Amino acid sequence: MLVLFQSKSAAEVLMFAQHARPILVAAGKTFDTPGLPERGVITRAQLDTAIAGIEALVAADPGHDDASGDHDDTVEHPIAQPVGMRRRAWPLLTMLRLAREKGEDVTWEPAPSW
């Protein structure tokens, strides 16, 4: 399932539910079921805790986001490299920071079928 994150302060963010779940857990959300609830909210009061939790998750990830500026033809093509937590969480983390600046909530729901 694709999850659509929305806030008045930023562009929409799309993410697969299986990738969104660990980020939301780090943000302090708890879930009774293995998947994600269809809809949810990170309120403006929860934003500081959510941002700190996601930043801690990103810092703890040994990730594959070690980008050096050198071009090396022996390195695996970027499309074939695994996506680390820093890159995966960045769009949502940016949205949360903007929402905090403007005092707005962030919601999620299933993405529409286009």
Side-chain angles (χ1 to χ4, degrees), residues 57-78:
L57 175 68
V58 168
D61 181 45
H64 302 278
D65 293 332
D66 192 23
S68 65
D70 299 331
H71 180 71
D72 183 358
D73 289 333
T74 62
V75 175
E76 187 177 40
H77 191 277

Side-chain angles (χ1 to χ4, degrees), residues 10-86:
E12 296 173 338
V13 173
L14 275 174
M15 193 178 297
F16 285 112
Q18 70 264 27
H19 298 147
R21 184 181 170 89
I23 296 171
L24 288 171
V25 168
K29 293 296 180 182
T30 57
F31 306 108
D32 297 332
T33 60
L36 270 181
E38 281 205 8
R39 288 174 169 57
V41 64
I42 299 173
T43 66
R44 65 197 95 194
Q46 298 169 328
L47 286 171
D48 286 331
T49 303
I51 291 167
I54 295 170
E55 287 173 342
L57 175 68
V58 168
D61 181 45
H64 302 278
D65 293 332
D66 192 23
S68 65
D70 299 331
H71 180 71
D72 183 358
D73 289 333
T74 62
V75 175
E76 187 177 40
H77 191 277
I79 199 78
Q81 295 174 356
V83 178
M85 189 54 67
R86 183 179 68 184

Side-chain angles (χ1 to χ4, degrees), residues 84-101:
M85 189 54 67
R86 183 179 68 184
R87 287 186 184 155
R88 193 168 308 282
W90 181 81
L92 182 57
L93 192 53
T94 300
M95 175 185 275
L96 294 175
R97 288 176 179 148
L98 289 169
R100 179 177 60 184
E101 285 177 21

